[in-house]
Amino acid sequence: MLARAARGTGALLLRGLNILIPVLDRIRYVQSLKEIVINVPEQSAVTLDNVTLQIDGVLYLRIMDPYKASYGVEDPEYAVTQLAQTTMRSELGKLSLDKVFRERESLNASIVDAINQAADCWGIRCLRYEIKDIHVPPRVKESMQMQVEAERRKRATVLESEGTRESAINVAEGKKQAQILASEAEKAEQINQAAGEASAVLAKAKAKAEAIRILAAALTQHAMGVYGALTKAPVPGTPDSLSSGSSRDVQGTDASLDEELDRVKMS
């Protein structure tokens, strides 16, 4: 779509039928309402940390008011290009070199806002601005590369130390677990040994108690037999026969008691 400004009357001719007065009116300005792409030439700019950069860009704009674009400024594209360059230098002076590379998007947005505020009276609207190339001095580039290499070496050293640390921790944890397992095994062994010894002592105690019980029962039984033999009624006869019979009974009882004691000892 094209918009034409007629010289003389100062009227704006739009698409369609327009009537011009001969001699008095003629087409003076022709403005395109399409989006316009303008290459911003390379220029020098100094950052906040005093580093000189060579930077260029691309500007995308559109004429919103053909009348203002025709009569508000002599050359709108040239005016916007100069405004973009000065705004770029101003915005770069607010940032350090590192931030220039990290904040390109915010830098582009700042340039667009500054251009739109100044170019509103020209009937022009900046749609977007893109930085194409940023060239740094050779010495600064070498120092940046050295810095990057130093950062890489630093990260490698840190990673290596962390790996060594993790390895040492794992070894220490392994030794700790081994000691814990060894102490637990020793403890379990001692518990089992003590339990076995306690069981053996208990079995011996039970065996002795049983032996004592059997011995006591045998002594009681033999004592009752002796007592019965002594209290048995006398048989008619001579006193010698009675004495010899009683003596034989007592001797038989003593012999039986000795055999029982031997049997208990063997058990």
Side-chain angles (χ1 to χ4, degrees):
M1 179 179 180
L2 298 178
R4 297 178 175 84
R7 183 181 180 184
T9 60
L12 180 64
L13 305 181
L14 300 177
R15 181 177 57 183
L17 180 61
N18 293 275
I19 299 175
L20 299 178
I21 301 175
V23 180
L24 296 178
D25 295 331
R26 66 192 179 102
I27 304 299
R28 177 59 178 168
Y29 301 101
V30 179
Q31 304 291 349
S32 175
L33 302 183
K34 296 179 180 179
E35 185 174 346
I36 302 173
V37 181
I38 301 176
N39 288 320
V40 180
E42 186 178 73
Q43 62 174 335
S44 298
V46 181
T47 62
L48 184 63
D49 48 356
N50 296 324
V51 178
T52 302
L53 302 177
Q54 298 293 327
I55 187 169
D56 58 359
V58 180
L59 185 64
Y60 299 86
L61 55 86
R62 176 175 291 171
I63 296 176
M64 308 302 295
D65 189 339
Y67 185 84
K68 290 182 179 181
S70 299
Y71 296 100
V73 64
E74 179 67 26
D75 189 346
E77 294 185 4
Y78 177 77
V80 171
T81 302
Q82 295 300 313
L83 181 60
Q85 288 182 325
T86 56
T87 305
M88 184 190 303
R89 286 194 294 268
S90 176
E91 294 296 330
L92 284 176
K94 301 176 184 178
L95 301 174
S96 61
L97 180 61
D98 294 336
K99 290 185 177 180
V100 169
F101 292 98
R102 292 199 302 263
E103 300 182 5
R104 294 182 65 168
E105 294 296 331
S106 61
L107 180 61
N108 293 336
S110 299
I111 295 174
V112 170
D113 292 338
I115 292 175
N116 285 331
Q117 291 178 4
D120 183 63
C121 61
W122 300 338
I124 298 173
R125 181 172 182 80
C126 180
L127 301 179
R128 59 190 179 277
Y129 179 85
E130 297 292 339
I131 297 176
K132 291 175 61 177
D133 298 316
I134 300 176
H135 301 284
V136 298
R139 292 184 178 179
V140 176
K141 188 175 182 180
E142 292 176 0
S143 64
M144 292 175 63
Q145 291 178 351
M146 293 175 62
Q147 182 179 0
V148 172
E149 292 178 358
E151 288 292 333
R152 290 177 179 174
R153 289 194 297 269
K154 178 182 177 181
R155 288 196 296 269
T157 304
V158 171
L159 291 176
E160 184 178 0
S161 63
E162 288 181 355
T164 304
R165 175 174 173 270
E166 292 293 334
S167 177
I169 291 174
N170 292 334
V171 172
E173 286 292 336
K175 291 182 179 179
K176 178 181 177 182
Q177 293 297 328
Q179 292 178 356
I180 292 174
L181 293 176
S183 62
E184 290 180 352
E186 184 179 359
K187 179 181 178 181
E189 183 180 359
Q190 292 177 356
I191 291 173
N192 293 333
Q193 184 177 0
E197 292 178 355
S199 298
V201 171
L202 181 61
K204 290 180 180 179
K206 288 182 179 180
K208 289 182 179 180
E210 183 67 20
I212 292 172
R213 186 186 64 79
I214 294 173
L215 179 60
L219 290 175
T220 302
Q221 182 179 1
H222 289 293
M224 292 300 294
V226 172
Y227 178 76
L230 293 175
T231 58
K232 188 182 295 183
V235 179
T238 61
D240 293 336
S241 62
L242 177 60
S243 298
S244 61
S246 299
S247 178
R248 283 193 301 270
D249 293 337
V250 172
Q251 291 177 358
T253 302
D254 293 338
S256 300
L257 182 58
D258 292 336
E259 292 178 359
E260 186 66 23
L261 287 174
D262 294 336
R263 185 177 64 82
V264 171
K265 289 180 181 180
M266 292 178 64
S267 62

